[in-house]
Structures are given as C-alpha cells and as structure tokens.
Amino acid sequence: MISEACYELGSKSSVIREIFAFGLKRKEEIGADNVYDFSLGNPSIPAPASVRKAILELLERPAEELHAYSPASGDGKVRKVIAESLNRRFGESFTAEHIFMTCGAAASLNICIKALVNPGDEVIVFAPFFPEYRCWVEAAGAKLQVVQPRLSDFRIDFHALEELLGPKTKAVIVNSPNNPSGVVYPPEDIRRLADLLKEKSGEYGAPIYLIADEPYREIVYDGTEVPYLTRYYRDTLVCYSYSKSLSLPGERIGYIVIPGRLTEYGRVSPAIAGAARVLGFVCAPVLFQQVAAMCVEDTGDISAYKKNRDLLVKGLSEIGYSCIAPQGAFYLFMKALEPDACAFCERAKKYDLLLVPSDDFGCPGYVRIAYCVAEKTIVNSMPAFQRLMEEYR
Amino acid sequence: MISEACYELGSKSSVIREIFAFGLKRKEEIGADNVYDFSLGNPSIPAPASVRKAILELLERPAEELHAYSPASGDGKVRKVIAESLNRRFGESFTAEHIFMTCGAAASLNICIKALVNPGDEVIVFAPFFPEYRCWVEAAGAKLQVVQPRLSDFRIDFHALEELLGPKTKAVIVNSPNNPSGVVYPPEDIRRLADLLKEKSGEYGAPIYLIADEPYREIVYDGTEVPYLTRYYRDTLVCYSYSKSLSLPGERIGYIVIPGRLTEYGRVSPAIAGAARVLGFVCAPVLFQQVAAMCVEDTGDISAYKKNRDLLVKGLSEIGYSCIAPQGAFYLFMKALEPDACAFCERAKKYDLLLVPSDDFGCPGYVRIAYCVAEKTIVNSMPAFQRLMEEYR
C-alpha cells in the first residue's frame, strides 16, 4: 500500500552495508587492527587545517546571519569565489550565476538528472559506475544504458558507446577519476567523446548533455591531467563535491556548474532550480558553503593516498593479482580469482579482508579495494591477500 | 526537451521571491530602516549560545571522524539522545531506531510523502498550508486535497475534512503551530481528528497516515499546549526541524520520527530509507547532527517573538485591521482590505510594507506578516499600516 519502489530500495540488502556490518562485528571480536576493511570510500586523511580555521573565523560572525537561509542557489559571494577559482584553473569564464550550491555530489547529480530527463529518455553511463546512478535515473522515469569498458585499460569503448547513442539519449555521465576503477580518461578520449556527442546531437536535432561527476578531480597521482569537460563540449554540466578533496563527506557540500553557453541555458538553469525544489533541497548547508569558499583551492594531504596506492599495487602484483592501474581517486579495481566476485569476496572474509564485489558497478568479476585507510592496514593485509591467493592455486 | 515540470517550477515567478527582491532594491534606495520587510520566515533571534559552544567543543575532535559520513539514518548516539528527549517530554518510548536524521523539514516531509504515496493516491492538507506541500505531493504522482478552515478561528472544519476523506486518502498533513496562521490546534481537535482517521482507516481497510509537520513546535506563547500527535494516533510520522527552535535555518538539520507502533512499521521504516536514497540525501550534515544532540532541548530567546507578536496584534487591531489570533510560530495572518490579496500587497508596497499574499497558501484574501524581525521594524511600521488603512477608507 505504501511506495513499493521506496520499500524495495530501502529493504534490499546492500552488499557494501552487509560487508560494513560484518566488519564492525569482526572488529569487536578480534580488534580493529586485525580486520582489513577496504569497503568504504570514507576519506582517511583529515580535512586540511584551513577548514577548522575557517569555521573558527566564521563563528565570530553574528549567529543570526551565519546560520540564516541562503538563496536556493547558494550565497552569491561563495558562488563568485568558486566561479573565479574555476576560471583561474581551467581558463573558463563562469560567473556566480553559473554556480548552484548543493548538498554534495549525490544532490548535484540527482538534481541534474531530474532537471534534464523526461520519462522514456535514456541516460548512458560507463561501467564500472557508481550504483546510485541507476536509482536516480530510473526514479526520473528514464532508462539507464550501460557501456562496458575496453577491458585492457578500462577506458571508453567508443564502438560500444556509439551503438547505444540514439534519439532517446538525453545525457551521458562521465565519472573521471573513476569510482571504482581509479581510471582517468585522457584528453584524447574526452575530445573523441565530445566530437561524437556533437555529431549525434546534430543528427538528432537536440543537445545530448554531458554530466561530469567529479568528486575525485583533486585526487590524482603522477601529474595526471584531468580534462575539464566544459572546455571540450558545449552542453556540459559539472557536478562537484568537497567530500573527498576537503575530506568533508558528512557535511554534504558541493555544487553544479551550469555554463552560460549551454544551448538551452535559459531553460536548463531554471530547471535545475526547479529540480532542487521538487527534491526537497532548500539550500546547501550554509556554514560549509562559506568554508568551501574560504578553502576553495585547498585539499587534504593527497600524498598519503598515493603512498597507499603504490604499496597496494606493488604488493598485490607481487602476489600475482591483476589490477587496473589507478591514476586517481582512492580505489583499486582488482580482478577476482573466480568469475563470481561475490563468492570471491566471501572467501576473502575468511582472512578478514573486506572487499566489495563489482557486480553493482555493472562490471562483474572484479572487486573494489578502497585504499583510503591507514597505511598499516595495507602493509598488514598483505599476508592475508597471500593466503587468499594460495587458496586458489 | 528537458523536464518541463522542473522548468515550470524553477521559472515561475515566486511571489515571495519577487517581494524579497523588491525589498532589497528599496533598502538600497531608502535605507534598510525605512523598509518594513515582513516577507521572510528567517529567524531574527540568534541561535542560543550553546550552539557556538557545541561547535567549538566538536572542533576538538579529530577532523577525519568529525566530518565523516554517518549512516544514512544518522549517527546512532545522536538519534538516541533525540529519542530520549522526546520520551522525557512527551511520555513516549522511542529508541534510536525510530529516529531518521534529515536535511531539515523540507527533506523530512518530502521523504515521508515519497515513502508513503503511490501515483493516484490523495494527500489532505488544511488551508492555509505551506505551498511546497503541493509540489512534493504532485511530484510523487498524488493529488493534493485542500480542506478550507473554519473561518471564525482557523481551526479544523471537520465537516469539510470528512467530505474529502476517502479510500484514496493515503495521508493527512497537520502543521501546528501553523505557517502562516500561527494557530495551534487544541487537544480536542487532535483527538477528534485521530478518532475520525481511525474510523476511516478501519472503513477502508488501510492505515491513513498522519504526518505532523512541526518546525514551530517550540515557538508557542502564553503556555499553549501543542499536542504530540503520536500520543493520539497510532499511524503518525513526525517531521521536525531545528531551523526555527535553534535558529539554524541554513544548516538543514532535522529528523523524522517513525514510531515502532506503526501498523506497517516493517515496511514504512525501510521505505523512509529508500525514499531518502532516491531523493539524493546521503546523510544529514554531520556537524549539525552532533550540535542538535548537544543542544537538544535548547531554543533561542522565544520571548522576543512574543513581544513582537503582542506589539503587532495590538497595533494593527487599534488601526482597525482584523487578524487571526496567533498562539505560535512567528506569523500573523491578517485579512486583506480587499478580496484580492495580491492587489492589497501591491498597494502596501507603496508604503514600503512588504507582506505576502495568502493565495499560494490556499486561502485567498489574507496576508502573511512574518514578525521574526527587529522590534523597531514593527514599531516604525505602524504609521505605514495606518496610511494603508486610510487609503481604503
């Protein structure tokens, strides 16, 4: 009698949640140091000191101003600071008007999807992909179309993409650096993607939107360049979150970039505001709007993630595991030792290794290892990975 | 080609927004002190000092714990503190499991609506009502049914309610203290409402849910009792927000109470989690989850609102205006001096009186005066109200 769809969504056992619960139980039983929990994408490095400093500074303002409602799109000065930072970094020409503050990346993405799609439309994603995409796209009455990756390097399989593009395609979501593969699409892939979408938009007589999901933009290694998609393709919306760059995942603060050059800017911009309203977002949390502006180009100490990545890639390769080389984010995508990744993860649990099977990411046969953990967790886990490997030999 | 519904919602000129923009312009032209802006429900009294103290204390915790994700339903300890406070205050027996932390009242309400209704269902509200109800109910594919008030005192017209109750009624929303009328429904009305809903639920063979929208619960005057609805009716969900009680409207923090005694608890509880997920809420902002727990029974200095209310009611009555006696919240609902409240508000603008017409609240012919303003705004506005009255004589 109540909403079946919401009930299903809330009651079906989430694999990650189950692993997390198992981990909590095991940590109580054998001590936290003896459980190698790679299940969650919760940043392990603290927010930069500038965040605490900013909050202390903000607390000097009158409380009735500091905590007041902002406009639905966010504080005008905050949006200006963010626009100017993007202009500086990516040679753009955004103004405050082009920035819409949100309650983090989930809000950014869901608002964009809701604003753009009509029932019957299609949204294309590249596997492996963040599982919530499906839930938001389907809630908007649209169909999720999944492009499988080029398995050699997990970059875009353009042949597969072209087969799925059609007159019903309303948007394509690009998540680079990618959760869960850690892959960053290079400029030549983005250029080719942009050319293809331009061509198809022209052919179908309506813009196909590119939605850039970028919470991991700042977390890249070895000087890898992450192309800024608005520079390549006119009809791009950028969804950003400070969850990972400032290690503030629980504070729910991010933004959408709605470039003025969008073909349908005069319609998309109000639709974004309307979508936020219909989803029940009043304004992004105001204290952290100010914090974001005051720390706009800061990050936590990313080098800790790089060290973890290097340790993990080297250790696992030496044991004989096969991994996708990660250039960004804090996930390693590793081939399971049997076709059924869920069964593999069950076996791994015997060694207190908590890994996430790739099935929900639309790309079976792999596991996600979240290496936003203490360095010692990685070092100490190696014998467990070794024993797991031996079980399969 | 993009979502027409979202475009419409985002682009249609909001009366309150227009008045607010006019006010900003006038304040620049003639000085803020000369504009009597009663348009917005933004608390004028600061958050209690305990909020700042709590934040300072929380900043001593390690940043990577303080700002980490909480479970989707909120921090377990925070939920326990809130449940225990409700038990103490209202003789309830809630546990942490019955509290779901949210990004404020808008999120609380939209999640409940989304979780409960199916397309074709009906949701009943009592005019005057918060305009966003319509937007959320219709987005869920349901129909909003509006019960007009008993005009003598703006309490529930049970005859009108009974005519709208039917087998399609999934929920009834009660907002008391009411925005915009300031009316608090007394216990005898709530008892009668509960009896009627019990009877009709039995008749139709399915629970009709009561949704209590309570952001103004703490803002009441003259010792008025606000009945706690779970005590009167089994199938009640409570939507709460700290926006008004702690003067934190921009921080987006509130909760839903999902009592264990709900007829369909085992289905409603997961549906609430599913609805939050599908709307894109990951978790309520974590810093302010902790603040809410640490300040759980605090409020700002409500006596300032009472002083404003008394000044305003006395002043306007002496001039000859007719108002609904407000027992709570910080709004006065005043009869317009002509049937068209929009036209009346236009005339009021000539005297730099910024009032909100009642049309969007589903109850034409009135204006909402938000008296969460500086005392001097009320005192200084009286000659303007006087001149406005003279224009109609």
Side-chain angles (χ1 to χ4, degrees):
Chain A
M1 298 294 291
I2 63 163
S3 166
E4 196 58 34
C6 289
Y7 169 72
E8 287 297 329
L9 209 57
S11 64
K12 84 171 171 197
S13 65
S14 147
V15 177
I16 297 187
R17 223 180 306 151
E18 272 180 15
I19 294 170
F20 182 66
F22 172 83
L24 287 181
K25 194 173 133 270
R26 280 301 280 166
K27 284 171 194 172
E28 270 182 29
E29 287 167 11
I30 61 170
D33 282 356
N34 301 312
V35 180
Y36 312 114
D37 186 350
F38 298 105
S39 65
L40 282 190
N42 210 7
S44 52
I45 60 175
S50 56
V51 164
R52 186 170 182 277
K53 194 166 157 279
I55 297 173
L56 288 171
E57 220 176 296
L58 288 163
L59 285 177
E60 299 305 312
R61 297 192 187 172
E64 65 277 24
E65 289 170 22
L66 179 59
H67 304 299
Y69 289 117
S70 79
S73 53
D75 180 278
K77 283 180 195 154
V78 167
R79 293 155 68 203
K80 186 163 180 277
V81 168
I82 291 171
E84 285 169 357
S85 164
L86 295 174
N87 296 346
R88 239 185 343 261
R89 296 169 63 200
F90 307 116
E92 267 294 357
S93 51
F94 302 135
T95 67
E97 195 196 323
H98 305 125
I99 308 293
F100 191 99
M101 301 303 296
T102 66
C103 294
S108 298
L109 279 158
N110 203 15
I111 290 170
C112 285
I113 291 166
K114 187 96 185 158
L116 293 179
V117 314
N118 285 300
D121 285 345
E122 295 177 358
V123 175
I124 292 178
V125 298
F126 299 99
F129 63 88
F130 186 52
E132 298 302 278
Y133 292 166
R134 179 180 298 283
C135 142
W136 300 325
V137 166
E138 290 179 355
K143 186 177 172 192
L144 192 82
Q145 295 277 27
V146 180
V147 179
Q148 288 299 322
R150 196 161 77 179
L151 284 176
S152 55
D153 55 9
F154 275 64
R155 281 167 51 186
I156 296 173
D157 179 340
F158 280 95
H159 181 71
L161 169 61
E162 212 162 335
E163 288 207 334
L164 288 179
L165 279 166
K168 289 185 179 173
T169 309
K170 180 55 62 68
V172 175
I173 303 179
V174 167
N175 172 222
S176 169
N178 183 267
N179 170 10
S181 77
V183 166
V184 174
Y185 297 139
E188 64 263 34
D189 281 16
I190 298 303
R191 204 168 296 121
R192 193 169 161 192
L193 176 62
D195 288 345
L196 182 60
L197 294 184
K198 250 173 254 171
E199 182 199 318
K200 293 292 176 182
S201 294
E203 192 179 324
Y204 304 129
I208 296 172
Y209 289 89
L210 192 57
I211 300 177
D213 176 20
E214 305 210 327
Y216 299 100
R217 161 164 291 279
E218 270 65 57
I219 303 175
V220 284
Y221 314 115
D222 317 317
T224 303
E225 181 199 347
V226 186
Y228 203 73
L229 270 54
T230 63
R231 301 290 293 158
Y232 291 78
Y233 185 66
R234 178 176 177 177
D235 288 310
T236 298
L237 294 167
V238 182
C239 294
Y240 189 79
S241 161
Y242 292 94
S243 291
K244 317 295 176 174
S245 60
L246 290 180
S247 289
L248 296 174
E251 306 300 355
R252 316 310 307 141
I253 186 73
Y255 60 81
I256 302 167
V257 183
I258 315 160
R261 72 172 76 88
L262 291 184
T263 311
E264 305 176 298
Y265 178 75
R267 294 185 69 78
V268 173
S269 182
I272 293 282
R277 198 175 148 193
V278 85
L279 290 168
F281 295 107
V282 171
C283 62
V286 290
L287 180 71
F288 283 93
Q289 286 190 42
Q290 300 297 334
V291 169
M294 290 163 82
C295 307
V296 71
E297 291 183 16
D298 294 347
T299 66
D301 174 19
I302 308 296
S303 72
Y305 296 138
K306 176 169 160 41
K307 203 166 171 193
N308 282 357
R309 181 200 66 161
D310 293 345
L311 273 171
L312 197 58
V313 169
K314 184 164 177 289
L316 292 176
S317 305
E318 280 173 6
I319 297 171
Y321 287 100
S322 163
C323 306
I324 305 305
Q327 301 141 290
F330 38 53
Y331 307 105
L332 186 68
F333 213 49
M334 185 179 88
K335 210 159 169 33
L337 296 179
E338 58 182 303
D340 181 347
C342 293
F344 177 69
C345 289
E346 269 308 308
R347 288 219 202 186
K349 274 159 77 176
K350 285 199 297 186
Y351 305 98
D352 294 306
L353 283 170
L354 308 188
L355 317 175
V356 174
S358 60
D359 299 64
D360 284 351
F361 296 100
C363 191
Y366 290 78
V367 296
R368 185 186 81 169
I369 302 177
Y371 57 82
C372 44
V373 297
E375 187 184 325
K376 68 171 181 197
T377 303
I378 293 174
V379 173
N380 295 343
S381 71
M382 285 302 141
F385 276 110
Q386 176 74 50
R387 287 197 298 279
L388 177 61
M389 172 61 85
E390 279 157 16
E391 195 175 323
Y392 281 90
R393 270 183 185 142
Chain B
M1 298 293 291
I2 63 164
S3 165
E4 196 60 33
C6 289
Y7 170 72
E8 287 297 330
L9 209 57
S11 63
K12 83 171 173 198
S13 64
S14 147
V15 177
I16 296 187
R17 222 180 308 151
E18 271 181 15
I19 294 170
F20 182 66
F22 172 83
L24 286 181
K25 194 172 133 270
R26 281 301 279 167
K27 284 171 193 171
E28 267 181 31
E29 287 167 12
I30 61 170
D33 283 356
N34 301 311
V35 181
Y36 313 114
D37 187 350
F38 298 105
S39 65
L40 282 189
N42 210 7
S44 52
I45 62 174
S50 57
V51 164
R52 186 170 182 278
K53 193 165 158 280
I55 297 173
L56 288 171
E57 218 176 297
L58 289 163
L59 285 176
E60 297 307 311
R61 297 192 188 172
E64 65 276 24
E65 291 170 22
L66 179 59
H67 304 299
Y69 289 117
S70 80
S73 52
D75 181 278
K77 284 181 195 152
V78 167
R79 293 155 68 204
K80 187 163 180 276
V81 168
I82 291 171
E84 286 169 356
S85 164
L86 295 174
N87 296 346
R88 241 185 341 263
R89 296 170 63 201
F90 307 117
E92 267 294 357
S93 50
F94 302 135
T95 67
E97 195 196 323
H98 305 124
I99 308 293
F100 190 99
M101 301 303 297
T102 66
C103 293
S108 298
L109 279 158
N110 203 15
I111 289 170
C112 286
I113 291 166
K114 187 94 186 161
L116 293 179
V117 314
N118 284 300
D121 285 345
E122 295 177 356
V123 175
I124 292 178
V125 297
F126 299 98
F129 63 89
F130 186 51
E132 299 301 276
Y133 292 165
R134 178 179 298 282
C135 143
W136 300 325
V137 167
E138 291 179 353
K143 188 179 173 191
L144 193 82
Q145 295 277 28
V146 181
V147 179
Q148 288 299 322
R150 194 161 77 179
L151 283 177
S152 55
D153 55 9
F154 274 63
R155 282 167 52 187
I156 296 173
D157 179 339
F158 280 94
H159 181 71
L161 169 61
E162 213 163 333
E163 289 208 332
L164 288 179
L165 279 166
K168 289 184 179 174
T169 308
K170 182 52 63 69
V172 174
I173 303 177
V174 167
N175 173 221
S176 169
N178 182 267
N179 170 11
S181 77
V183 166
V184 174
Y185 298 139
E188 64 263 34
D189 282 16
I190 298 303
R191 203 168 297 121
R192 193 168 162 193
L193 176 63
D195 288 345
L196 181 60
L197 294 185
K198 251 174 253 171
E199 180 198 320
K200 293 291 177 182
S201 294
E203 191 179 325
Y204 303 129
I208 297 172
Y209 289 89
L210 191 57
I211 300 176
D213 177 19
E214 306 211 327
Y216 298 99
R217 160 163 292 278
E218 270 64 57
I219 303 175
V220 284
Y221 313 113
D222 316 317
T224 303
E225 182 200 346
V226 186
Y228 203 74
L229 270 55
T230 63
R231 302 290 294 158
Y232 291 77
Y233 185 67
R234 178 177 177 176
D235 288 310
T236 298
L237 293 167
V238 182
C239 295
Y240 188 78
S241 162
Y242 292 95
S243 290
K244 316 295 176 175
S245 60
L246 289 179
S247 289
L248 296 174
E251 306 301 356
R252 315 311 305 141
I253 186 72
Y255 60 80
I256 302 168
V257 183
I258 314 160
R261 72 173 75 90
L262 291 185
T263 310
E264 305 177 298
Y265 179 76
R267 295 185 67 77
V268 172
S269 182
I272 293 282
R277 198 176 148 193
V278 85
L279 290 168
F281 295 106
V282 172
C283 63
V286 289
L287 180 70
F288 283 93
Q289 285 190 42
Q290 300 297 334
V291 169
M294 291 163 82
C295 307
V296 71
E297 291 183 16
D298 294 346
T299 66
D301 174 20
I302 308 295
S303 71
Y305 296 138
K306 176 169 160 40
K307 203 165 171 194
N308 281 357
R309 181 200 67 161
D310 293 345
L311 273 171
L312 197 57
V313 169
K314 184 163 177 288
L316 292 176
S317 304
E318 280 174 6
I319 296 172
Y321 287 100
S322 163
C323 307
I324 305 304
Q327 301 141 289
F330 39 53
Y331 306 105
L332 186 69
F333 213 49
M334 185 179 88
K335 210 158 168 33
L337 296 180
E338 58 182 302
D340 180 349
C342 293
F344 177 70
C345 289
E346 269 307 309
R347 287 219 204 187
K349 273 159 79 176
K350 284 198 299 184
Y351 305 97
D352 293 306
L353 283 170
L354 308 188
L355 317 174
V356 175
S358 60
D359 299 63
D360 283 350
F361 297 100
C363 191
Y366 289 79
V367 295
R368 185 186 82 169
I369 302 176
Y371 57 82
C372 44
V373 297
E375 187 184 325
K376 68 172 181 196
T377 303
I378 293 174
V379 174
N380 295 343
S381 70
M382 285 302 141
F385 275 110
Q386 177 74 50
R387 286 198 298 278
L388 178 61
M389 172 61 85
E390 279 157 15
E391 195 175 320
Y392 281 90
R393 268 180 187 145

